[in-house]
Amino acid sequence: MTHVERCRRSLATNPYCLECNSSAETALHALRDCPAVRTLWLCILPAPLVHSLFSLNLQDWLSCSLSSAFLHPRWKISWQFLFVSLIWQIWKRRNDVVFHNPCLSDSALINRSLAWAKHYFDSVVRQLASPSVSRPVWNPRASLGSGWTYLNVDGAVSVPSHESRIGGLIRSSAGDWIVGFAKAIGRSDVLQAELWAIFEGISLAWEYGFDRLLIHSDSKQAVELVNSTTAVSSGLSLVRAIYRLRQLHWNTEVIWVSRDENHHADALAKLVSLFDFPCRYMILRLWS
Protein backbone atom coordinates (compact mmCIF):
# COMPACT_ATOMS: atom_id res chain seq x y z
CA MET A 1 0.00 0.00 0.00
CA THR A 2 1.04 3.59 -0.54
CA HIS A 3 1.40 5.78 2.55
CA VAL A 4 -1.82 7.65 1.70
CA GLU A 5 -3.68 4.33 1.64
CA ARG A 6 -2.06 3.21 4.90
CA CYS A 7 -3.17 6.43 6.56
CA ARG A 8 -6.68 6.01 5.20
CA ARG A 9 -6.81 2.61 6.90
CA SER A 10 -5.35 3.99 10.15
CA LEU A 11 -2.19 1.89 9.74
CA ALA A 12 0.09 4.96 9.70
CA THR A 13 0.02 8.66 10.51
CA ASN A 14 2.47 10.01 7.95
CA PRO A 15 1.17 10.10 4.34
CA TYR A 16 4.37 11.59 2.90
CA CYS A 17 6.66 9.87 0.43
CA LEU A 18 9.83 8.37 1.95
CA GLU A 19 11.83 9.23 -1.17
CA CYS A 20 11.15 12.97 -1.40
CA ASN A 21 9.30 13.72 1.87
CA SER A 22 7.58 16.64 0.16
CA SER A 23 4.32 15.20 -1.18
CA ALA A 24 1.69 12.71 -0.11
CA GLU A 25 2.49 9.28 -1.51
CA THR A 26 -0.43 8.39 -3.76
CA ALA A 27 -0.14 5.65 -6.39
CA LEU A 28 0.50 8.25 -9.08
CA HIS A 29 3.16 9.96 -6.98
CA ALA A 30 4.93 6.68 -6.22
CA LEU A 31 4.90 5.50 -9.84
CA ARG A 32 5.41 8.74 -11.77
CA ASP A 33 5.47 12.12 -10.03
CA CYS A 34 8.02 11.66 -7.23
CA PRO A 35 11.22 13.53 -8.22
CA ALA A 36 13.24 10.36 -7.63
CA VAL A 37 11.01 8.52 -10.14
CA ARG A 38 10.40 11.34 -12.59
CA THR A 39 14.06 11.34 -13.60
CA LEU A 40 13.69 7.70 -14.66
CA TRP A 41 10.75 8.49 -16.91
CA LEU A 42 12.61 11.40 -18.47
CA CYS A 43 15.53 9.08 -19.25
CA ILE A 44 13.38 6.54 -21.04
CA LEU A 45 10.30 8.39 -22.34
CA PRO A 46 10.25 9.11 -26.09
CA ALA A 47 10.08 12.87 -26.65
CA PRO A 48 6.55 12.83 -28.21
CA LEU A 49 5.13 11.22 -25.06
CA VAL A 50 6.72 13.37 -22.35
CA HIS A 51 4.17 16.18 -22.14
CA SER A 52 1.05 14.07 -22.68
CA LEU A 53 1.90 11.34 -20.19
CA PHE A 54 2.93 13.69 -17.38
CA SER A 55 -0.30 15.68 -17.71
CA LEU A 56 -2.71 12.75 -17.29
CA ASN A 57 -4.46 11.46 -14.19
CA LEU A 58 -3.72 7.92 -13.00
CA GLN A 59 -6.45 6.09 -14.92
CA ASP A 60 -5.85 7.93 -18.20
CA TRP A 61 -2.09 7.55 -17.81
CA LEU A 62 -2.40 3.78 -17.41
CA SER A 63 -4.96 3.41 -20.22
CA CYS A 64 -3.00 5.53 -22.68
CA SER A 65 0.29 3.79 -21.99
CA LEU A 66 -1.08 0.26 -22.02
CA SER A 67 -2.78 0.80 -25.38
CA SER A 68 0.13 2.63 -27.02
CA ALA A 69 2.03 0.76 -29.73
CA PHE A 70 4.44 3.67 -30.22
CA LEU A 71 7.76 2.10 -31.18
CA HIS A 72 10.55 3.52 -29.09
CA PRO A 73 13.01 5.14 -31.53
CA ARG A 74 16.07 4.04 -29.54
CA TRP A 75 15.25 0.52 -28.39
CA LYS A 76 12.68 -0.43 -31.06
CA ILE A 77 10.28 -1.80 -28.46
CA SER A 78 6.57 -1.02 -28.30
CA TRP A 79 5.91 1.54 -25.57
CA GLN A 80 3.25 -0.59 -23.83
CA PHE A 81 5.90 -3.23 -23.04
CA LEU A 82 8.44 -0.70 -21.79
CA PHE A 83 5.80 1.00 -19.67
CA VAL A 84 4.64 -2.17 -17.90
CA SER A 85 8.19 -3.28 -17.23
CA LEU A 86 9.25 0.10 -15.86
CA ILE A 87 6.33 0.65 -13.48
CA TRP A 88 6.79 -2.87 -12.11
CA GLN A 89 10.49 -2.26 -11.40
CA ILE A 90 9.71 1.17 -9.90
CA TRP A 91 7.13 -0.37 -7.58
CA LYS A 92 9.52 -3.17 -6.54
CA ARG A 93 12.26 -0.64 -5.75
CA ARG A 94 9.82 1.49 -3.76
CA ASN A 95 9.03 -1.55 -1.62
CA ASP A 96 12.73 -2.24 -1.14
CA VAL A 97 13.06 1.29 0.24
CA VAL A 98 10.09 0.84 2.58
CA PHE A 99 11.41 -2.43 3.97
CA HIS A 100 15.00 -1.18 4.27
CA ASN A 101 16.53 -3.56 1.78
CA PRO A 102 19.29 -2.60 -0.68
CA CYS A 103 17.65 -1.12 -3.75
CA LEU A 104 18.56 -0.79 -7.40
CA SER A 105 20.34 2.25 -8.77
CA ASP A 106 18.59 4.24 -11.51
CA SER A 107 20.79 2.76 -14.22
CA ALA A 108 20.31 -0.81 -12.96
CA LEU A 109 16.53 -0.31 -12.77
CA ILE A 110 16.39 1.01 -16.34
CA ASN A 111 18.57 -1.82 -17.65
CA ARG A 112 16.46 -4.44 -15.91
CA SER A 113 13.26 -2.85 -17.24
CA LEU A 114 14.63 -2.82 -20.77
CA ALA A 115 15.68 -6.45 -20.52
CA TRP A 116 12.22 -7.60 -19.40
CA ALA A 117 10.45 -5.42 -21.97
CA LYS A 118 12.64 -6.72 -24.78
CA HIS A 119 12.03 -10.32 -23.69
CA TYR A 120 8.25 -9.95 -23.75
CA PHE A 121 8.18 -7.83 -26.88
CA ASP A 122 10.37 -10.24 -28.86
CA SER A 123 8.40 -13.26 -27.63
CA VAL A 124 5.09 -11.81 -28.80
CA VAL A 125 6.10 -9.95 -31.93
CA ARG A 126 8.25 -12.67 -33.45
CA GLN A 127 5.44 -15.18 -33.12
CA LEU A 128 2.74 -12.90 -34.45
CA ALA A 129 4.83 -11.26 -37.15
CA SER A 130 5.90 -14.57 -38.69
CA PRO A 131 4.34 -15.37 -42.09
CA SER A 132 2.32 -18.22 -40.57
CA VAL A 133 0.28 -15.96 -38.28
CA SER A 134 0.58 -12.38 -39.46
CA ARG A 135 -2.20 -12.83 -42.03
CA PRO A 136 -4.99 -15.30 -41.27
CA VAL A 137 -5.67 -17.91 -43.93
CA TRP A 138 -8.89 -16.90 -45.66
CA ASN A 139 -11.61 -19.51 -45.77
CA PRO A 140 -13.76 -18.95 -48.90
CA ARG A 141 -16.46 -21.40 -47.86
CA ALA A 142 -17.22 -19.32 -44.75
CA SER A 143 -17.28 -16.01 -46.61
CA LEU A 144 -20.60 -14.23 -47.10
CA GLY A 145 -19.17 -11.62 -49.45
CA SER A 146 -18.36 -7.93 -49.19
CA GLY A 147 -19.94 -5.86 -46.46
CA TRP A 148 -19.52 -8.56 -43.83
CA THR A 149 -16.96 -8.51 -41.04
CA TYR A 150 -15.45 -11.77 -39.80
CA LEU A 151 -14.72 -12.70 -36.19
CA ASN A 152 -12.68 -15.74 -35.11
CA VAL A 153 -12.72 -16.57 -31.39
CA ASP A 154 -11.30 -19.30 -29.17
CA GLY A 155 -10.85 -20.24 -25.52
CA ALA A 156 -7.93 -22.08 -23.95
CA VAL A 157 -8.05 -23.86 -20.58
CA SER A 158 -4.96 -25.13 -18.74
CA VAL A 159 -5.04 -28.60 -17.21
CA PRO A 160 -5.24 -29.24 -14.27
CA SER A 161 -5.40 -25.63 -12.98
CA HIS A 162 -8.41 -24.66 -15.15
CA GLU A 163 -6.86 -21.20 -15.64
CA SER A 164 -8.50 -19.91 -18.80
CA ARG A 165 -7.68 -17.41 -21.55
CA ILE A 166 -9.61 -16.21 -24.55
CA GLY A 167 -8.61 -14.56 -27.79
CA GLY A 168 -9.99 -13.47 -31.10
CA LEU A 169 -9.46 -11.39 -34.23
CA ILE A 170 -11.74 -9.41 -36.50
CA ARG A 171 -11.10 -9.20 -40.26
CA SER A 172 -12.60 -7.41 -43.19
CA SER A 173 -14.37 -9.22 -46.01
CA ALA A 174 -11.02 -9.29 -47.83
CA GLY A 175 -9.36 -11.06 -44.90
CA ASP A 176 -7.42 -8.02 -43.66
CA TRP A 177 -6.73 -7.76 -39.93
CA ILE A 178 -8.80 -5.04 -38.21
CA VAL A 179 -8.61 -5.62 -34.48
CA GLY A 180 -8.01 -8.39 -31.97
CA PHE A 181 -8.10 -9.17 -28.28
CA ALA A 182 -6.55 -11.49 -25.71
CA LYS A 183 -7.62 -11.79 -22.09
CA ALA A 184 -7.23 -13.97 -19.00
CA ILE A 185 -10.62 -14.85 -17.49
CA GLY A 186 -9.64 -16.84 -14.39
CA ARG A 187 -10.75 -20.40 -13.69
CA SER A 188 -13.46 -21.96 -15.86
CA ASP A 189 -14.31 -25.01 -17.91
CA VAL A 190 -13.87 -25.31 -21.67
CA LEU A 191 -17.46 -24.44 -22.60
CA GLN A 192 -17.47 -21.33 -20.40
CA ALA A 193 -14.19 -20.18 -21.98
CA GLU A 194 -15.57 -20.68 -25.49
CA LEU A 195 -18.73 -18.74 -24.63
CA TRP A 196 -16.70 -15.95 -23.00
CA ALA A 197 -14.64 -15.68 -26.19
CA ILE A 198 -17.79 -15.33 -28.31
CA PHE A 199 -19.24 -12.75 -25.90
CA GLU A 200 -16.04 -10.65 -25.79
CA GLY A 201 -15.61 -10.83 -29.56
CA ILE A 202 -19.19 -9.78 -30.30
CA SER A 203 -18.97 -6.98 -27.71
CA LEU A 204 -15.79 -5.68 -29.35
CA ALA A 205 -17.35 -5.86 -32.82
CA TRP A 206 -20.39 -3.90 -31.63
CA GLU A 207 -18.15 -1.23 -30.08
CA TYR A 208 -16.44 -0.83 -33.45
CA GLY A 209 -19.77 -0.23 -35.18
CA PHE A 210 -19.85 -3.17 -37.59
CA ASP A 211 -23.34 -3.92 -38.93
CA ARG A 212 -22.85 -7.42 -40.36
CA LEU A 213 -20.78 -9.96 -38.43
CA LEU A 214 -19.95 -13.60 -39.11
CA ILE A 215 -18.58 -15.34 -36.00
CA HIS A 216 -16.35 -18.42 -36.30
CA SER A 217 -15.88 -20.78 -33.33
CA ASP A 218 -14.37 -24.27 -33.22
CA SER A 219 -16.66 -25.32 -30.34
CA LYS A 220 -19.68 -27.16 -31.74
CA GLN A 221 -21.40 -27.11 -28.34
CA ALA A 222 -21.02 -23.34 -27.96
CA VAL A 223 -22.25 -22.71 -31.51
CA GLU A 224 -25.29 -24.92 -30.98
CA LEU A 225 -26.14 -23.18 -27.70
CA VAL A 226 -25.99 -19.62 -29.05
CA ASN A 227 -27.91 -20.60 -32.21
CA SER A 228 -30.60 -22.46 -30.29
CA THR A 229 -34.17 -21.16 -30.41
CA THR A 230 -34.12 -21.34 -26.58
CA ALA A 231 -31.02 -19.14 -26.21
CA VAL A 232 -33.14 -16.31 -24.81
CA SER A 233 -34.08 -18.44 -21.80
CA SER A 234 -30.93 -20.55 -21.53
CA GLY A 235 -29.77 -21.63 -18.10
CA LEU A 236 -26.32 -20.22 -18.97
CA SER A 237 -26.04 -16.47 -18.41
CA LEU A 238 -23.39 -16.10 -21.13
CA VAL A 239 -25.71 -17.62 -23.72
CA ARG A 240 -28.43 -15.16 -22.72
CA ALA A 241 -25.95 -12.26 -22.84
CA ILE A 242 -24.80 -13.28 -26.33
CA TYR A 243 -28.43 -13.54 -27.43
CA ARG A 244 -29.13 -9.97 -26.23
CA LEU A 245 -26.11 -8.66 -28.12
CA ARG A 246 -27.24 -10.39 -31.29
CA GLN A 247 -30.68 -8.78 -31.01
CA LEU A 248 -29.21 -5.28 -31.42
CA HIS A 249 -29.57 -3.45 -34.72
CA TRP A 250 -27.17 -5.54 -36.82
CA ASN A 251 -26.93 -8.92 -38.55
CA THR A 252 -24.91 -11.72 -36.96
CA GLU A 253 -24.27 -15.33 -37.91
CA VAL A 254 -22.42 -17.90 -35.78
CA ILE A 255 -20.89 -20.92 -37.50
CA TRP A 256 -18.57 -23.76 -36.54
CA VAL A 257 -15.12 -24.03 -38.13
CA SER A 258 -12.39 -26.60 -37.62
CA ARG A 259 -9.45 -26.07 -35.26
CA ASP A 260 -7.11 -25.68 -38.23
CA GLU A 261 -9.25 -22.85 -39.60
CA ASN A 262 -9.31 -21.19 -36.17
CA HIS A 263 -5.66 -21.53 -35.15
CA HIS A 264 -4.95 -17.78 -35.13
CA ALA A 265 -7.61 -17.12 -32.50
CA ASP A 266 -6.20 -20.06 -30.53
CA ALA A 267 -2.69 -18.58 -30.76
CA LEU A 268 -3.90 -15.22 -29.43
CA ALA A 269 -5.63 -16.88 -26.46
CA LYS A 270 -2.53 -18.85 -25.54
CA LEU A 271 -0.29 -15.78 -25.76
CA VAL A 272 -1.97 -14.35 -22.65
CA SER A 273 0.18 -16.73 -20.58
CA LEU A 274 3.19 -14.55 -21.47
CA PHE A 275 1.83 -11.79 -19.24
CA ASP A 276 1.40 -11.55 -15.47
CA PHE A 277 -1.93 -9.71 -15.71
CA PRO A 278 -5.12 -9.89 -17.77
CA CYS A 279 -4.74 -7.95 -20.99
CA ARG A 280 -7.06 -6.80 -23.69
CA TYR A 281 -6.39 -4.99 -26.97
CA MET A 282 -2.64 -5.10 -26.43
CA ILE A 283 -1.50 -7.52 -29.09
CA LEU A 284 -3.80 -6.22 -31.80
CA ARG A 285 -2.04 -2.86 -32.16
CA LEU A 286 1.14 -4.47 -33.44
CA TRP A 287 -0.60 -4.75 -36.80
CA SER A 288 -1.82 -1.17 -37.03
Side-chain angles (χ1 to χ4, degrees):
M1 291 182 284
T2 63
H3 289 313
V4 165
E5 181 62 19
R6 293 179 71 232
C7 287
R8 190 183 72 82
R9 300 188 187 197
S10 300
L11 298 174
T13 57
N14 180 12
Y16 286 93
C17 172
L18 286 180
E19 294 268 20
C20 67
N21 202 34
S22 62
S23 298
E25 190 196 53
T26 61
L28 189 58
H29 179 85
L31 294 175
R32 189 192 71 185
D33 293 341
C34 176
V37 173
R38 191 181 182 92
T39 56
L40 291 168
W41 289 109
L42 292 175
C43 286
I44 204 169
L45 269 171
L49 299 181
V50 171
H51 174 72
S52 60
L53 293 189
F54 273 114
S55 64
L56 299 173
N57 61 35
L58 178 63
Q59 184 173 347
D60 290 342
W61 180 58
L62 292 172
S63 296
C64 249
S65 298
L66 290 172
S67 63
S68 172
F70 181 89
L71 199 65
H72 199 289
R74 180 176 177 185
W75 292 293
K76 307 303 180 186
I77 300 173
S78 182
W79 175 246
Q80 55 198 191
F81 291 86
L82 281 172
F83 176 78
V84 168
S85 184
L86 193 58
I87 60 171
W88 175 237
Q89 295 300 331
I90 287 172
W91 184 249
K92 287 181 68 178
R93 187 174 77 168
R94 178 263 184 197
N95 283 288
D96 286 341
V97 171
V98 170
F99 294 105
H100 308 293
N101 294 320
C103 60
L104 291 175
S105 65
D106 285 0
S107 59
L109 187 149
I110 290 174
N111 288 335
R112 182 175 291 185
S113 299
L114 287 170
W116 276 105
K118 188 174 188 306
H119 168 74
Y120 283 118
F121 184 69
D122 288 350
S123 297
V124 173
V125 174
R126 286 179 182 174
Q127 289 187 58
L128 297 180
S130 65
S132 62
V133 293
S134 61
R135 179 61 62 87
V137 176
W138 191 236
N139 177 17
R141 77 171 179 82
S143 174
L144 297 179
S146 61
W148 282 80
T149 305
Y150 299 85
L151 167 67
N152 281 73
V153 295
D154 198 21
V157 179
S158 297
V159 178
S161 69
H162 295 289
E163 292 296 327
S164 304
R165 291 94 65 198
I166 59 175
L169 62 153
I170 298 176
R171 299 167 293 174
S172 69
S173 58
D176 295 318
W177 178 287
I178 299 174
V179 68
F181 68 93
K183 186 179 183 180
I185 60 170
R187 300 166 73 89
S188 75
D189 58 33
V190 174
L191 177 59
Q192 286 286 330
E194 296 288 357
L195 290 171
W196 265 116
I198 294 172
F199 175 77
E200 287 283 350
I202 294 179
S203 299
L204 179 60
W206 177 255
E207 290 172 13
Y208 269 71
F210 303 123
D211 56 7
R212 285 186 283 181
L213 184 70
L214 177 63
I215 303 106
H216 297 165
S217 169
D218 59 26
S219 170
K220 288 184 178 179
Q221 187 178 6
V223 171
E224 288 172 358
L225 283 170
V226 299
N227 283 334
S228 170
T229 56
T230 60
V232 63
S233 58
S234 171
L236 296 174
S237 58
L238 276 171
V239 174
R240 298 195 304 272
I242 292 167
Y243 174 84
R244 288 193 294 270
L245 280 173
R246 297 183 66 191
Q247 297 309 300
L248 299 174
H249 296 295
W250 62 339
N251 294 322
T252 62
E253 298 287 342
V254 184
I255 68 168
W256 175 85
V257 293
S258 69
R259 278 187 171 274
D260 288 342
E261 294 170 304
N262 206 40
H263 68 278
H264 295 101
D266 177 67
L268 285 171
K270 290 177 178 176
L271 280 174
V272 178
S273 61
L274 293 174
F275 302 92
D276 296 327
F277 51 90
C279 63
R280 190 182 184 196
Y281 314 147
M282 178 176 288
I283 298 167
L284 61 98
R285 294 197 181 270
L286 300 177
W287 275 267
S288 57

